[in-house]
Amino acid sequence: MAGKKCEATFIAGDGSESITCDRDGRHIVHQESSTDTRAVRLPGGALISKPTHTK
């Protein structure tokens, strides 16, 4: 799978937003690099984590 993007898609339950993983190689934590949002598959769904930026 090296060199091929993952492209796993995670969609919010209400359909308000989605992320698409752009990592390559084997991984457990999926990530959309443009937003730095990460997702981990769990039984029955996924846990999505968005970065919090403080100034």
Side-chain angles (χ1 to χ4, degrees):
M1 188 168 149
K4 183 178 179 188
K5 299 294 180 189
C6 173
E7 297 182 352
T9 300
F10 299 87
I11 303 170
D14 63 1
S16 63
E17 61 184 317
S18 67
I19 69 161
T20 301
C21 180
D22 54 13
R23 294 184 75 183
D24 58 7
R26 296 184 71 159
H27 54 274
I28 295 173
V29 178
H30 298 274
Q31 179 177 354
E32 183 177 69
S33 61
S34 63
T35 61
D36 201 29
T37 302
R38 298 166 190 222
V40 176
R41 292 187 193 276
L42 299 173
L47 173 66
I48 297 175
S49 173
K50 292 183 172 195
T52 55
H53 299 285
T54 57
K55 292 185 177 184

